[in-house]
């Protein structure tokens, strides 16, 4: 059986993108705090604290959905 190159589903790509944006925000928070800034913008902290786990959860959800779909196809 020939395996065709598969693309990641849209939900997985969205999760990866959100996680990457969140990790950049976490990195920015650490760099700014290390540079001596104490009053960081609230939006930056919110992105770092909310978008990162949201992206991780979305990616895991997409992964579970893909696994279940593949398991159903294999069972048929």
């Amino acid at each position: 059986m020939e395996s065709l190159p598969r693309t990641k589903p849209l939900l997985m790509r969205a999760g990866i993108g959100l996680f990457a944006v969140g990790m950049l925000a976490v990195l920015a928070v650490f760099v700014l705090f290390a540079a001596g800034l104490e009053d960081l913008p609230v939006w930056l902290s919110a992105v770092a604290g909310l978008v990162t786990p949201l992206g991780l959860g979305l990616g895991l959800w997409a992964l579970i959905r893909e696994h279940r779909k593949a398991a159903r196809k294999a069972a048929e």
Side-chain angles (χ1 to χ4, degrees):
M1 185 166 119
E2 203 176 295
S3 84
L4 298 172
R6 293 178 23 174
T7 60
K8 290 182 180 63
L10 180 64
L11 199 59
M12 177 67 79
R13 285 186 272 161
I16 291 170
L18 285 174
F19 184 76
V21 167
M23 287 307 296
L24 287 174
V26 168
L27 183 65
V29 166
F30 279 126
V31 168
L32 291 172
F33 188 72
L37 296 174
E38 293 178 1
D39 294 328
L40 298 176
V42 173
W43 66 267
L44 185 59
S45 297
V47 169
L50 296 175
V51 173
T52 306
L54 179 67
L56 181 64
L58 197 59
L60 287 174
W61 185 39
L63 188 67
I64 291 168
R65 283 182 56 191
E66 283 297 306
H67 176 71
R68 287 184 178 168
K69 188 187 307 182
R72 269 185 264 146
K73 275 189 177 180
E76 290 178 355

